[in-house]
Amino acid sequence: MSSIITFLGKGGSGRTTVAIAVAKKLADDGAKVLIIGQDSSPAWWLQLEAAAATGITEIAPNLSALQIQATALLEQNWEQIKELEKQYLRTPLLKNVYGQELGILPGMDQALALNVLREQDKSGKFDFIVYDGTGELNTLRALGIPEVGSWYIRRFRQVFADSEIVRNLSPFVQPITSAILNVSWSFDDLGKNEATDILEEGRKALKNPHRVVAYLVSNDDPASIATAKYFWGGAQQIGLSVAGVFLNGSANASQDFSPLKVINIPRKTGGDWQALIDALPNLRNPNDVPPPLTIDASTRSVKVYLPGFDKKAVKLTQSGPELTIEAGNQRRNIKVPPALAGQSVKGAKFQDGYLIISF
C-alpha cells in the first residue's frame, strides 16, 4: 500500500507546482513515487519538464508520472464490465456496445481517476502517490465516493428490505436468479459484494492520515485564502485529513489556518526547483492532524470538524440512527453507535472549529 498525497486550492494558486516539488522531494529522499495528473493537456508535461508519454513513465530516479486520459480508461473499464456481464448473464446485453464509442459524461473523469489511484495503491509498486487533481470541489466529490457510495448502498438496502414488494418476492428471487443469471443470489446479498468491499477499503484509507492526506495551497490573494479555507472545511465532510498549508509568497496567513502548520514557500523561478524543494517539510509522517470526526459514546457527543464555516453555513438534520451535516455544498451522513442510536439530538454548538452535537 502507498501513502496518497493530494492538494486543494484555488486555480492559479500553484497546486501543480507544489505537487511536482513534493514528488521530487520524496523521490530525492529515496521513496518510490508516482505523480498522477488529472490535467490531460500538454501543459502538464511541460510543467513536469518531461516528454509527454502514455502510461506510467519513469521521468527521474525513483519518480514516475502518469497522465489521466479519461477516454482510454473508460474504454478499458468498459471491457471489464462486459466480461463481468458475460459471467452472470446467459444473453449479455452490452456485447454490441463498444468502449471506443463511449463519450465522457461530467464527473466520469474524476471517478476514473479515483479507480486509477486505487489500482496503483493496490499494486504496491510505490511508496507515495502524489495526486495532482483539479484541487477543488470535484476532487472532494471524487475522493468522497467511498463514503457517499457506502451510504447509498446502506440506505437503499434498508429501503428494499422494508419494502412489502421485496418481502413478497424474496422467496422467488433465488430460484429465478439461478435459472436466468446462472448464479445464486437473494435480497440478503444486496450490499454484500466486491464493490462494497472496495468502498469500505476506501473509507478506511480516508480515515487514516498516514494513508490519504491533503494539503491546502494558497497565495497571498484574499480570494485564494478564502477558497483554501472553504475546501478545508469541505474536506472534513468526506473524512479527508488536511495536514498543512503551502503558502506561495511572503504573506503571513497563519491566523487564517490555525491550528494547521503553514509552510511559506518561495515562488519557483525558471527551471530551478531546488529552493522550492528545500523549503518543503518532512512529508512522510503527518502529525497533529485535526480529526474530521470524533464520536464519544461516554459523553454522548459527536464532534465534526468544520473549519471555514460558521453556524449559519451549516445545516444539521437527524433521520433515525443517522445525522446529516450539510456544509460546503456537500452532505455527510454520520451513523452513530448503538449507544446513541434512537436518541434525539439535544443541542449543537460551535467551539474551536468543531460542531459539537449532544445527545
Side-chain angles (χ1 to χ4, degrees):
M1 293 188 296
S2 310
S3 293
I4 299 172
I5 303 175
T6 193
F7 305 88
L8 303 169
K10 188 176 182 293
S13 61
R15 287 192 320 264
T16 294
T17 300
V18 172
I20 294 171
V22 165
K24 287 177 175 291
K25 178 179 177 61
L26 291 168
D28 289 346
D29 290 344
K32 294 288 185 181
V33 183
L34 173 66
I35 182 169
I36 297 177
Q38 187 78 54
D39 181 2
S40 60
S41 75
W44 191 71
W45 291 104
L46 289 173
Q47 288 180 281
L48 272 175
E49 299 174 355
T54 301
I56 297 175
T57 305
E58 187 171 11
I59 60 174
N62 295 327
L63 178 58
S64 298
L66 172 64
Q67 184 182 44
I68 296 293
Q69 296 291 346
T71 50
L73 289 172
L74 182 59
E75 181 180 337
Q76 173 187 327
N77 291 343
W78 185 252
E79 294 307 311
Q80 294 175 359
I81 290 172
K82 289 168 69 173
E83 287 298 318
L84 287 172
E85 185 194 41
K86 285 198 298 187
Q87 294 179 26
Y88 293 105
L89 293 182
R90 292 178 177 178
T91 307
L93 302 173
L94 305 177
K95 63 180 180 180
N96 293 324
V97 180
Y98 303 99
Q100 295 92 331
E101 62 184 334
L102 297 177
I104 304 296
L105 293 172
M108 275 188 178
D109 42 2
Q110 278 85 17
L112 291 166
L114 182 65
N115 191 49
V116 171
L117 283 171
R118 184 187 68 83
E119 290 177 342
Q120 295 307 320
D121 173 47
K122 193 175 180 179
S123 74
K125 295 179 181 178
F126 303 99
D127 301 311
F128 288 90
I129 298 175
V130 176
Y131 175 46
D132 179 27
T134 57
E136 30 79 279
L137 194 57
N138 284 333
T139 292
L140 293 177
R141 294 206 194 287
L143 293 174
I145 286 174
E147 179 71 31
V148 177
S150 296
W151 178 84
Y152 270 97
I153 291 174
R154 183 173 75 245
R155 188 72 176 91
F156 283 95
R157 182 176 187 271
Q158 190 59 45
V159 169
F160 280 115
D162 293 340
S163 168
E164 185 175 346
I165 294 176
V166 169
R167 288 197 295 269
N168 291 335
L169 289 177
S170 289
F172 307 103
V173 170
Q174 194 277 331
I176 289 173
T177 55
S178 296
I180 298 177
L181 304 180
N182 224 8
V183 62
S184 180
W185 186 87
S186 70
F187 283 112
D188 291 336
D189 297 316
L190 183 65
K192 300 176 182 178
N193 51 46
E194 183 180 357
T196 56
D197 291 341
I198 290 173
L199 291 175
E200 185 57 30
E201 288 174 7
R203 291 181 69 231
K204 288 180 179 178
L206 268 183
K207 291 179 180 179
N208 183 355
H210 295 282
R211 291 277 286 115
V212 184
V213 71
Y215 288 88
L216 307 178
V217 181
S218 180
N219 53 36
D220 51 11
D221 179 15
S224 181
I225 292 172
T227 301
K229 290 175 66 177
Y230 180 77
F231 292 148
W232 182 18
Q236 311 309 297
Q237 282 287 76
I238 63 168
L240 173 62
S241 298
V242 176
V245 187
F246 292 109
L247 187 65
N248 282 294
S250 58
N252 183 7
S254 299
Q255 69 280 2
D256 292 296
F257 298 102
S258 178
L260 293 182
K261 182 178 180 180
V262 175
I263 304 102
N264 286 90
I265 54 176
R267 298 185 187 276
K268 175 179 167 289
T269 56
D272 182 15
W273 288 92
Q274 200 56 51
L276 177 53
I277 291 172
D278 290 343
L280 298 178
N282 180 7
L283 299 160
R284 289 179 174 268
N285 295 299
N287 296 315
D288 301 323
V289 180
L293 174 67
T294 304
I295 300 177
D296 190 338
S298 63
T299 61
R300 306 180 65 80
S301 66
V302 174
K303 294 175 64 178
V304 185
Y305 195 40
L306 293 172
F309 300 118
D310 57 25
K311 192 171 184 178
K312 294 179 181 179
V314 177
K315 181 180 178 181
L316 168 66
T317 56
Q318 184 179 24
S319 176
E322 299 197 357
L323 300 172
T324 300
I325 310 293
E326 185 174 334
N329 200 24
Q330 297 185 97
R331 289 195 180 109
R332 182 179 190 181
N333 293 285
I334 302 169
K335 188 175 182 180
V336 299
L340 302 178
Q343 303 293 318
S344 298
V345 171
K346 292 183 178 179
K349 65 178 180 179
F350 267 93
Q351 183 177 323
D352 299 327
Y354 284 88
L355 173 64
I356 305 174
I357 305 164
S358 302
F359 288 83

